[in-house]
Amino acid sequence: MDGEERGQDNNQPETPTPSSSLTSPSIPSGLTAAEYSELLPTVSSHHLYQAGPGQCSSLLAQRVKAPAAAVWSIARRFDRPQIYKHFVRSCALVKINSNHKDADDNNINVEIKPGCLREVSVISGLPASTSTERLDILDDSKMITGFTIIGGEHRLRNYRSVTTVTEFRNDDGKVWSVVLESYIVDVPEGNSEEDTRLFADTVVRLNLQKLASLAESTSPRNDNVVTK
């Protein structure tokens, strides 16, 4: 790693800005055309970015054989990303006092709402060691969450991400869920856009696969859930 890099100002939560001038991305791997067609309003509202020079963005999808509520109960945990994020060693929410910030290792004294911060420790072997992240959105009714990396020792400057969970039901009444996760990030100096996207996509894809596995294994057995 090339030393510590600091992100943008953290006074106000930021959310990705959809742009009507952007065309919708191609159908993410793993989705059918019918699923993507139903998800287009969600994509347009939450997963389109106006990427400028030196930035890249991406949209990934994961089908989960579990009800949306089971998936969301895991994905919404801003205080415990290590539940399903492979490369997170630990996470501590940050108590913001008038003059300083204190990490709350027990994560019990901080209200989880947009604007709150977490300090993430990353496992060794990655070009990162810590990440300071701000919760931008947490909407339990619409199952939408998102965060921005605002500091830490890493190379992902101005990384912003949104995750949505949507439940589907077929003609037989069987249900399943689709998780969409998108991001926008600056391309680090010395790296190409393709290399940056490949790295970020790989991390996000592994996390989504673990999220699906965890939701499917912990969700109560239900005859109304698809099996294929």
Side-chain angles (χ1 to χ4, degrees):
M1 199 199 69
D2 297 331
E4 181 174 344
E5 298 194 18
R6 295 296 177 183
Q8 67 269 32
D9 175 72
N10 63 359
N11 290 328
Q12 296 295 328
E14 295 183 10
T15 55
T17 303
S19 173
S20 59
S21 65
L22 295 180
T23 56
S24 296
S26 58
I27 300 175
S29 176
L31 292 187
T32 65
E35 286 172 330
Y36 188 62
S37 177
E38 189 167 337
L39 288 165
L40 273 177
T42 298
V43 173
S44 298
S45 297
H46 304 290
H47 296 290
L48 296 184
Y49 302 86
Q50 185 66 65
Q55 293 183 308
C56 68
S57 63
S58 187
L59 172 65
L60 294 93
Q62 177 70 49
R63 185 185 290 110
V64 187
K65 293 178 288 186
V71 182
W72 177 243
S73 68
I74 302 168
R76 72 177 304 280
R77 293 296 301 272
F78 184 74
D79 58 326
R80 295 196 66 195
Q82 65 269 32
I83 293 176
Y84 74 94
K85 295 194 175 186
H86 281 272
F87 304 108
V88 175
R89 176 187 291 117
S90 63
C91 172
L93 296 180
V94 177
K95 292 191 296 181
I96 303 177
N97 298 322
S98 57
N99 297 318
H100 62 282
K101 302 175 182 177
D102 295 320
D104 179 11
D105 294 331
N106 294 318
N107 290 348
I108 59 175
N109 297 315
V110 180
E111 181 181 2
I112 300 176
K113 63 180 181 179
C116 73
L117 305 178
R118 66 186 178 193
E119 296 283 355
V120 173
S121 175
V122 181
I123 66 171
S124 61
L126 290 178
S129 58
T130 63
S131 179
T132 303
E133 302 171 358
R134 180 187 62 220
L135 181 63
D136 294 328
I137 182 172
L138 183 65
D139 189 326
D140 286 309
S141 63
K142 297 180 179 179
M143 299 188 187
I144 304 168
T145 188
F147 70 93
T148 298
I149 295 179
I150 62 170
E153 298 182 3
H154 55 80
R155 301 197 69 192
L156 294 178
R157 287 180 60 88
N158 298 316
Y159 183 96
R160 292 182 284 145
S161 174
V162 171
T163 300
T164 58
V165 180
T166 303
E167 185 169 290
F168 287 79
R169 185 179 300 271
N170 64 19
D171 293 338
D172 296 327
K174 302 291 186 179
V175 301
W176 71 100
S177 301
V178 170
V179 183
L180 295 179
E181 184 164 343
S182 62
Y183 66 83
I184 185 170
V185 65
D186 291 356
V187 176
E189 184 177 355
N191 289 77
S192 68
E193 180 178 328
E194 292 74 17
D195 288 341
T196 303
R197 185 180 291 108
L198 176 61
F199 171 75
D201 277 6
T202 299
V203 173
V204 171
R205 187 175 293 109
L206 288 171
N207 290 340
L208 290 178
Q209 290 171 353
K210 187 172 180 181
L211 172 62
S213 177
L214 185 58
E216 291 169 359
S217 64
T218 58
S219 177
R221 292 188 175 276
N222 189 332
D223 291 337
N224 291 327
V225 175
V226 297
T227 57
K228 294 184 179 180

